[in-house]
């Protein structure tokens, strides 16, 4: 077996592993920039040949990514590349499923899916993942940066015939962005946008000279400029390899993404064009001037000092190519593999998956639960202890009345139910709001008298989060004067999926509200309209149903943290 993962999890180089951009730093070392090199990379064979892995193989034991990393540190060998090398002889390859869906990762990881058996676990997220894999977002700043870099290449006559057409693409796009930014419509406070269909975008690209016929030629130019060496014939009639400067990793990544999405737009005679929407969005950011001062190497005049700290509002333009049909990325898989198995506790309604992924699943199993009815209490709670209605719509969640009533309810559950209690909210925003209010009213203190209380942090480091979880588990295990712990978390967050809270770790799960996707979000709005448009022809769920199912799946995932095996028991309160 082997486990593929990103350098974030497997890089053991002391400097690179601490950097925020490990991929670029790793590439620099392997290319030998500034005379550097990576001893870990050169020691990679020590890992793949190591007796511990051989031993595990003979005993047919599975190993975990942590085992590989700690072995890598001990042997001074790269776990990232070792895992990739082990793929060659592996019977089972474990990886996050965006590695299979995302054409760019698939290519860079050299994953070949022909005739393979693919098992997608926790497959309820596959829809979102497939849409994201075929989508792409670029900022005007990134485009300009690439354009300037390609300018330099052309001016210095470096592979001019290849760089020039690529530069033209960047120029055409930035010019079109400039023209279009005058036609944006307000969407909300300081947000404006304009949306084109995939078909309209093809016309725009056509006017830029990017067509079904010219795109393959552009791809060849792009491949050519990524070659680091070039053969030159020397005086003696022989050949020698010389190094050629190539564009920065940032520009490479930007162009790779752009070419990926263009490939889908042009594929099979524009078969998927209708599944795309292109949205140009304008938002504002407040910046301190000094971050904006890009030092100009050729400037004769120093920037005036006093101007530095003035805060400025800057318009930011983002160009999104959104794929609204998960079948686009999924078609790369389904046409190629031998078998696809989707598994998850929250797949139903199944037909929504078939229609969204564009695949007929001929074998379907919906099994009964492994527990008896007596092991779980499920109920909806419409009013709090003081008899106030609990309606978690935006208007109500803003009121102190709602916030205090939910608080009182949570406290009474914590006083009644021993050990671990999980509480899930629809958003981090509401979590912050409730926490502020309860700190203010003293309710938080009362909760802390009964249980150790932990709130899920937004963002942040995985290690910090794991440490918080450990506090939660320990509070339940070692009591310490309190009766267990309360974990307040967010649906679709870090806690709500994939984590196991068996037995005493969760005797009750409370969900507050319904975690609908953000209705004001432009992408969500476009997806709903797209589904309405294709309900009759492709049997897609109508937009409003699609929208609701997204919410109920997220809810079911959160509720599913409680009962983890056939002897487990607990209460689920909605």
């Amino acid at each position: 077996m082997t486990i593929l993962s990103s350098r974030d999890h497997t890089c053991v180089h002391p400097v690179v592993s601490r950097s925020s951009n490990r991929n670029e730093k790793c590439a620099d070392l392997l290319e030998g920039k500034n005379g550097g090199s990576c001893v870990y990379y050169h020691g990679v064979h020590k890992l793949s040949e190591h007796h511990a892995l051989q031993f595990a193989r003979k005993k047919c034991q599975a190993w975990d990514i942590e085992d590989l990393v700690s072995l890598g540190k001990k042997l001074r060998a790269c776990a990232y590349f070792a895992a990739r090398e082990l793929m060659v002889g592996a019977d089972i390859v474990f990886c996050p499923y965006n590695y299979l869906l995302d054409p760019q990762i698939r290519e860079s990881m050299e994953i070949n899916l022909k005739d393979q058996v693919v098992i997608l676990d926790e497959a309820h997220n596959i829809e979102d993942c497939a849409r994201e894999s075929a989508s792409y977002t670029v900022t005007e700043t990134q485009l300009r940066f690439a354009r300037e870099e390609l300018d330099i290449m052309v001016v210095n006559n470096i592979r001019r015939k290849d760089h020039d057409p690529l530069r033209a693409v960047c120029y055409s796009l930035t010019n079109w962005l400039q023209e279009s930014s005058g036609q944006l419509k307000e969407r909300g406070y300081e947000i404006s946008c304009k949306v084109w269909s995939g078909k309209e975008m093809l016309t725009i690209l056509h006017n830029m000279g990017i067509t079904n016929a010219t795109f393959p030629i552009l791809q060849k130019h792009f491949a050519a400029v990524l070659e680091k060496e070039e053969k030159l014939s020397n005086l003696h009639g022989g050949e020698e390899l010389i190094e050629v400067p190539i564009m920065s990793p940032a520009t490479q990544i930007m162009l790779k993404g752009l070419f990926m999405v263009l490939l889908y737009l042009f594929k099979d005679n524009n078969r998927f064009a209708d599944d795309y929407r292109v949205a140009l969005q304008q938002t504002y950011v407040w910046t301190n001037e000094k971050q904006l001062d890009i030092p100009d190497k050729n400037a004769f005049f120093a920037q005036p000092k006093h101007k530095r700290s003035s805060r400025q509002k800057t318009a930011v333009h983002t160009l999104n190519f959104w794929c609204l049909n998960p079948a686009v990325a999924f078609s790369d898989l389904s046409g190629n593999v031998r078998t696809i198995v989707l598994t998850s506790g929250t797949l139903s309604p199944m037909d929504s998956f078939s229609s969204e992924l564009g695949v007929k699943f001929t074998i379907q199993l919906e099994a009964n639960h492994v527990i008896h009815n007596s092991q779980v209490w499920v109920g909806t709670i419409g009013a709090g202890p003081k008899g106030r209605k609990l309606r978690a719509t935006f208007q109500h969640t803003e009121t102190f009345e709602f916030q205090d009533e939910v608080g009182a309810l949570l406290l009474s559950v914590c006083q009644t139910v021993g050990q671990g209690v999980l509480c899930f909210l629809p958003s981090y925003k509401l979590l912050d709001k409730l926490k502020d209010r309860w700190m203010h009213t003293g309710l938080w203190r009362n909760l802390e008298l009964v249980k150790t209380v932990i709130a899920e942090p937004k963002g942040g480091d995985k290690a910090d989060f794991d440490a918080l979880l450990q506090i939660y588990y320990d509070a339940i295990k070692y009591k310490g004067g309190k009766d267990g712990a309360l974990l307040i978390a967010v649906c679709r967050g870090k806690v709500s999926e994939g984590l196991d809270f068996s037995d005493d770790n969760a005797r009750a799960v409370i969900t507050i509200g319904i975690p609908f996707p953000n209705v004001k979000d432009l992408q969500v709005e476009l997806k709903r309209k797209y589904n309405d448009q294709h309900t009759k022809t492709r049997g897609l769920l109508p937009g409003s149903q699609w929208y609701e199912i997204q919410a109920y799946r997220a809810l079911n995932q959160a509720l599913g943290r409680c009962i983890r095996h056939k002897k487990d028991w607990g209460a689920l309160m909605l």
Side-chain angles (χ1 to χ4, degrees):
M1 59 155 284
T2 188
I3 308 172
L4 302 180
S5 75
S6 68
R7 290 173 175 85
D8 294 354
H9 297 292
T10 45
C11 175
V12 290
H13 188 285
V15 181
V16 179
S17 62
R18 287 203 190 91
S19 112
S20 61
N21 203 335
R22 296 179 185 89
N23 290 349
E24 286 183 23
K25 291 279 182 290
C26 172
D28 287 349
L29 272 188
L30 300 193
E31 279 169 29
K33 274 227 175 109
N34 313 327
S37 79
C38 180
V39 287
Y40 295 87
Y41 176 69
H42 295 296
V44 80
H45 58 121
K46 292 189 284 192
L47 248 186
S48 32
E49 294 157 9
H50 191 266
H51 64 89
L53 288 176
Q54 302 292 3
F55 176 73
R57 264 192 213 145
K58 283 197 192 68
K59 290 219 160 165
C60 293
Q61 286 174 323
W63 44 268
D64 209 342
I65 214 153
E66 285 79 11
D67 304 328
L68 190 65
V69 170
S70 58
L71 197 54
K73 284 180 178 157
K74 207 158 78 192
L75 301 173
R76 292 174 69 85
C78 173
Y80 173 75
F81 282 102
R84 288 178 58 162
E85 265 185 28
L86 288 167
M87 183 161 55
V88 181
D91 301 304
I92 305 179
V93 178
F94 295 94
C95 67
Y97 53 58
N98 62 323
Y99 283 34
L100 306 187
L101 282 169
D102 190 312
Q104 297 185 75
I105 302 178
R106 217 170 36 230
E107 187 188 344
S108 74
M109 283 281 186
E110 298 169 357
I111 295 171
N112 177 13
L113 291 176
K114 191 152 181 53
D115 301 331
Q116 306 286 353
V117 175
V118 175
I119 302 174
L120 301 169
D121 192 20
E122 301 292 358
H124 52 275
N125 290 328
I126 197 83
E127 239 199 77
D128 292 345
C129 183
R131 284 200 312 272
E132 272 164 37
S133 293
S135 299
Y136 166 72
T137 290
V138 64
T139 64
E140 188 177 13
T141 319
Q142 286 172 311
L143 272 171
R144 285 181 182 283
F145 178 80
R147 192 178 88 176
E148 282 161 24
E149 209 175 316
L150 292 166
D151 269 339
I152 293 168
M153 293 294 199
V154 172
V155 169
N156 290 308
N157 217 353
I158 300 164
R159 290 184 172 146
R160 193 174 194 154
K161 67 173 198 337
D162 294 314
H163 279 118
D164 206 25
L166 297 173
R167 175 175 75 156
V169 170
C170 292
Y171 265 95
S172 303
L173 277 171
T174 42
N175 290 343
W176 171 71
L177 273 189
Q178 282 275 274
E179 287 159 30
S180 308
S181 48
Q183 311 159 8
L184 305 182
K185 297 251 186 320
E186 285 269 324
R187 246 191 85 78
Y189 178 63
E190 299 207 326
I191 293 180
S192 39
C193 72
K194 180 168 177 172
V195 179
W196 292 265
S197 69
K199 295 250 166 70
E200 291 168 328
M201 193 64 212
L202 282 175
T203 311
I204 292 163
L205 290 166
H206 193 276
N207 296 338
M208 298 177 186
I210 307 169
T211 63
N212 278 7
T214 62
F215 181 60
I217 302 165
L218 281 171
Q219 285 177 297
K220 286 203 182 89
H221 289 308
F222 187 36
V225 297
L226 295 180
E227 290 299 324
K228 297 184 183 82
E229 294 176 324
E230 211 169 84
K231 283 195 178 110
L232 272 196
S233 36
N234 55 25
L235 297 171
H236 318 294
E239 283 185 332
E240 54 179 324
L241 284 177
I242 59 151
E243 237 186 283
V244 187
I246 64 165
M247 58 177 88
S248 67
T251 298
Q252 285 184 43
I253 290 164
M254 195 280 296
L255 285 173
K256 274 182 184 156
L258 180 65
F259 276 49
M260 178 269 302
V261 86
L262 291 178
L263 182 62
Y264 279 129
L265 279 172
F266 289 125
K267 201 175 177 178
D268 300 345
N269 216 354
N270 317 93
R271 163 178 160 212
F272 296 130
D274 199 32
D275 299 324
Y276 276 88
R277 297 292 177 274
V278 178
L280 175 58
Q281 286 179 303
Q282 174 176 292
T283 50
Y284 289 95
V285 288
W286 282 96
T287 47
N288 289 337
E289 261 276 76
K290 54 172 172 273
Q291 292 169 338
L292 273 179
D293 287 343
I294 296 149
D296 182 356
K297 295 191 183 61
N298 314 330
F300 289 109
F301 305 104
Q303 297 279 343
K305 283 280 182 289
H306 62 268
K307 228 180 86 195
R308 278 297 162 91
S309 58
S310 60
R311 299 204 8 103
Q312 240 188 353
K313 202 161 76 171
T314 324
V316 177
H317 291 118
T318 314
L319 181 62
N320 306 287
F321 290 80
W322 284 325
C323 175
L324 303 180
N325 179 9
V328 173
F330 208 74
S331 66
D332 291 346
L333 247 72
S334 51
N336 225 340
V337 300
R338 183 185 139 180
T339 310
I340 293 183
V341 184
L342 304 189
T343 71
S344 162
T346 55
L347 276 187
S348 38
M350 300 264 208
D351 38 349
S352 83
F353 271 90
S354 288
S355 65
E356 286 284 343
L357 297 174
V359 177
K360 290 270 179 290
F361 292 97
T362 44
I363 303 169
Q364 298 191 358
L365 165 73
E366 288 194 63
N368 291 325
H369 212 302
V370 295
I371 57 165
H372 292 295
N373 289 353
S374 61
Q375 285 165 259
V376 64
W377 185 89
V378 185
T380 58
I381 301 173
K386 298 202 179 79
R388 293 198 179 116
K389 271 214 170 92
L390 294 176
R391 290 188 48 204
T393 56
F394 182 72
Q395 291 84 347
H396 290 81
T397 53
E398 290 290 306
T399 64
F400 289 154
E401 204 173 33
F402 174 88
Q403 294 166 12
D404 297 345
E405 194 75 350
V406 162
L409 180 79
L410 196 52
L411 182 61
S412 87
V413 171
C414 286
Q415 287 163 340
T416 314
V417 178
Q419 314 303 344
V421 174
L422 302 176
C423 172
F424 286 101
L425 302 168
S427 67
Y428 287 104
K429 215 172 182 171
L430 185 59
L431 193 154
D432 291 338
K433 204 171 282 164
L434 291 176
K435 190 176 171 180
D436 284 350
R437 173 68 181 166
W438 296 344
M439 290 265 188
H440 180 71
T441 60
L443 183 107
W444 191 269
R445 203 171 49 246
N446 293 339
L447 286 170
E448 285 189 317
L449 292 174
V450 195
K451 293 193 186 292
T452 301
V453 186
I454 290 167
E456 175 189 342
K458 184 176 183 174
D461 199 18
K462 187 181 182 298
D464 300 342
F465 174 61
D466 290 342
L468 275 179
L469 270 185
Q470 206 46 58
I471 295 174
Y472 174 84
Y473 291 137
D474 289 348
I476 291 159
K477 206 162 151 191
Y478 310 113
K479 296 267 186 317
K482 294 181 186 181
D483 189 3
L486 165 68
L487 179 54
I488 306 175
V490 172
C491 288
R492 298 194 186 82
K494 304 183 197 63
V495 180
S496 69
E497 303 204 5
L499 285 180
D500 192 3
F501 293 90
S502 55
D503 302 318
D504 283 348
N505 288 331
R507 287 301 178 205
V509 176
I510 305 163
T511 60
I512 296 170
I514 302 173
F516 287 112
N518 181 356
V519 72
K520 291 200 179 72
D521 184 72
L522 179 58
Q523 202 173 352
V524 171
E525 184 185 308
L526 292 171
K527 171 67 182 160
R528 286 178 67 161
K529 285 183 185 155
Y530 172 87
N531 272 40
D532 286 338
Q533 195 184 323
H534 294 283
T535 310
K536 301 264 190 313
T537 48
R538 292 220 315 264
L540 292 188
L541 290 176
S544 57
Q545 268 182 333
W546 170 84
Y547 182 71
E548 284 186 0
I549 276 178
Q550 299 295 312
Y552 294 132
R553 274 205 185 108
L555 212 51
N556 278 327
Q557 271 304 315
L559 292 165
R561 296 309 99 207
C562 187
I563 310 286
R564 306 300 297 176
H565 56 85
K566 67 172 189 278
K567 295 205 167 79
D568 212 345
W569 51 271
L572 309 179
M573 304 170 218
L574 292 94

